[in-house]
Amino acid sequence: MGIAAIGPNGSETTLLASFPDPPRHPDEINSFRHLAKTGGVHYLTGHFGDPDTTVMDGTVYVSPDSLSSIKGLRAPDMLIAFDADPEACAWRNAYAITGQGKSPDFVLEVASRLHRPH
Protein backbone atom coordinates (compact mmCIF):
# COMPACT_ATOMS: atom_id res chain seq x y z
CA MET A 1 0.00 0.00 0.00
CA GLY A 2 1.38 3.38 -0.89
CA ILE A 3 0.58 7.02 -1.46
CA ALA A 4 0.82 9.04 -4.67
CA ALA A 5 3.67 11.53 -5.00
CA ILE A 6 5.50 13.45 -7.69
CA GLY A 7 8.70 11.71 -8.78
CA PRO A 8 12.04 13.37 -9.67
CA ASN A 9 11.12 13.71 -13.36
CA GLY A 10 7.72 15.29 -12.57
CA SER A 11 5.71 12.12 -13.16
CA GLU A 12 3.32 10.67 -10.60
CA THR A 13 4.76 7.76 -8.67
CA THR A 14 3.60 5.56 -5.81
CA LEU A 15 5.54 5.60 -2.57
CA LEU A 16 5.45 2.46 -0.48
CA ALA A 17 5.28 2.45 3.30
CA SER A 18 8.67 2.60 4.99
CA PHE A 19 10.34 -0.21 6.91
CA PRO A 20 10.40 0.04 10.72
CA ASP A 21 13.60 1.03 12.51
CA PRO A 22 16.10 -1.80 13.10
CA PRO A 23 16.49 -2.92 16.72
CA ARG A 24 18.35 -0.48 18.95
CA HIS A 25 21.58 -1.43 20.71
CA PRO A 26 23.20 -0.26 23.96
CA ASP A 27 26.26 1.01 22.04
CA GLU A 28 24.05 3.28 19.94
CA ILE A 29 26.33 6.25 20.59
CA ASN A 30 28.71 4.66 18.06
CA SER A 31 26.00 4.00 15.49
CA PHE A 32 26.14 5.41 11.98
CA ARG A 33 23.07 7.55 12.55
CA HIS A 34 24.59 9.14 15.65
CA LEU A 35 27.80 9.85 13.74
CA ALA A 36 25.76 11.28 10.84
CA LYS A 37 24.10 13.77 13.16
CA THR A 38 27.50 15.16 14.13
CA GLY A 39 28.19 16.15 10.50
CA GLY A 40 31.07 13.84 9.56
CA VAL A 41 29.02 11.88 7.04
CA HIS A 42 28.32 15.02 5.02
CA TYR A 43 32.05 15.44 4.41
CA LEU A 44 32.53 11.75 3.58
CA THR A 45 29.65 11.83 1.09
CA GLY A 46 31.15 14.89 -0.58
CA HIS A 47 34.54 13.18 -0.67
CA PHE A 48 33.23 9.92 -2.15
CA GLY A 49 30.64 11.33 -4.54
CA ASP A 50 27.81 13.75 -5.23
CA PRO A 51 25.58 14.11 -2.12
CA ASP A 52 22.51 14.17 -4.40
CA THR A 53 23.32 10.78 -5.95
CA THR A 54 25.35 8.98 -3.28
CA VAL A 55 23.69 6.96 -0.54
CA MET A 56 25.86 6.76 2.56
CA ASP A 57 23.82 5.35 5.38
CA GLY A 58 23.94 2.79 8.12
CA THR A 59 21.65 0.69 10.21
CA VAL A 60 19.01 0.68 7.46
CA TYR A 61 17.69 -2.54 5.99
CA VAL A 62 19.06 -3.79 2.68
CA SER A 63 16.11 -5.31 0.85
CA PRO A 64 16.09 -7.19 -2.46
CA ASP A 65 12.89 -5.40 -3.47
CA SER A 66 10.53 -2.67 -2.35
CA LEU A 67 7.86 -5.09 -1.12
CA SER A 68 10.00 -7.32 1.13
CA SER A 69 9.04 -8.07 4.69
CA ILE A 70 11.74 -7.40 7.26
CA LYS A 71 12.03 -11.10 8.11
CA GLY A 72 15.59 -12.18 7.40
CA LEU A 73 16.77 -8.75 6.22
CA ARG A 74 20.07 -7.33 7.43
CA ALA A 75 20.82 -3.78 8.54
CA PRO A 76 24.58 -3.30 8.04
CA ASP A 77 26.59 -0.76 10.02
CA MET A 78 27.35 1.19 6.85
CA LEU A 79 26.60 1.13 3.14
CA ILE A 80 27.63 3.29 0.20
CA ALA A 81 25.87 3.33 -3.17
CA PHE A 82 26.84 5.63 -6.03
CA ASP A 83 24.33 6.79 -8.66
CA ALA A 84 21.46 6.07 -6.27
CA ASP A 85 18.63 8.02 -4.60
CA PRO A 86 19.47 9.02 -1.00
CA GLU A 87 15.98 10.44 -0.39
CA ALA A 88 14.30 7.15 -1.35
CA CYS A 89 16.57 5.28 1.06
CA ALA A 90 15.86 7.75 3.88
CA TRP A 91 12.11 7.76 3.23
CA ARG A 92 11.84 3.95 3.10
CA ASN A 93 14.29 3.41 5.98
CA ALA A 94 15.77 0.76 3.69
CA TYR A 95 17.97 0.40 0.66
CA ALA A 96 15.61 -1.42 -1.75
CA ILE A 97 17.78 -2.90 -4.51
CA THR A 98 15.02 -3.05 -7.14
CA GLY A 99 13.93 0.49 -6.32
CA GLN A 100 17.48 1.80 -6.62
CA GLY A 101 18.25 -0.34 -9.67
CA LYS A 102 21.46 -1.74 -8.20
CA SER A 103 23.08 -3.29 -5.15
CA PRO A 104 25.09 -1.08 -2.80
CA ASP A 105 28.69 -0.55 -3.93
CA PHE A 106 30.09 -1.06 -0.42
CA VAL A 107 28.65 -2.68 2.71
CA LEU A 108 30.35 -2.81 6.10
CA GLU A 109 29.36 -4.88 9.11
CA VAL A 110 31.55 -4.66 12.21
CA ALA A 111 31.47 -7.69 14.45
CA SER A 112 33.06 -8.09 17.84
CA ARG A 113 32.96 -10.55 20.66
CA LEU A 114 30.44 -9.81 23.35
CA HIS A 115 32.07 -9.33 26.72
CA ARG A 116 29.75 -10.91 29.20
CA PRO A 117 30.32 -10.84 32.94
CA HIS A 118 31.02 -14.27 34.44
Side-chain angles (χ1 to χ4, degrees), residues 2-16 85 87-88 91:
I3 58 173
I6 302 301
N9 61 359
S11 63
E12 187 173 297
T13 184
T14 301
L15 299 175
L16 300 172
D85 184 355
E87 289 183 27
W91 191 86

Side-chain angles (χ1 to χ4, degrees), residues 51-75:
D52 294 329
T53 60
T54 302
V55 173
M56 184 175 290
D57 210 334
T59 321
V60 297
Y61 292 105
V62 176
S63 171
D65 60 60
S66 299
L67 301 174
S68 293
S69 79
I70 62 170
K71 185 176 181 181
L73 294 182
R74 301 287 186 245

Side-chain angles (χ1 to χ4, degrees), residues 6-104:
I6 302 301
N9 61 359
S11 63
E12 187 173 297
T13 184
T14 301
L15 299 175
L16 300 172
S18 65
F19 284 84
D21 287 335
R24 297 178 79 159
H25 298 286
D27 61 349
E28 192 169 279
I29 192 77
N30 296 324
S31 75
F32 183 88
R33 292 221 171 142
H34 174 77
L35 296 173
K37 288 179 183 176
T38 64
V41 173
H42 169 76
Y43 296 110
L44 284 173
T45 303
H47 175 77
F48 283 114
D50 180 350
D52 294 329
T53 60
T54 302
V55 173
M56 184 175 290
D57 210 334
T59 321
V60 297
Y61 292 105
V62 176
S63 171
D65 60 60
S66 299
L67 301 174
S68 293
S69 79
I70 62 170
K71 185 176 181 181
L73 294 182
R74 301 287 186 245
D77 292 323
M78 181 179 184
L79 69 86
I80 301 173
F82 303 105
D83 299 318
D85 184 355
E87 289 183 27
C89 184
W91 191 86
R92 293 285 326 268
N93 201 25
Y95 185 91
I97 294 169
T98 57
Q100 295 285 355
K102 60 180 275 212
S103 298

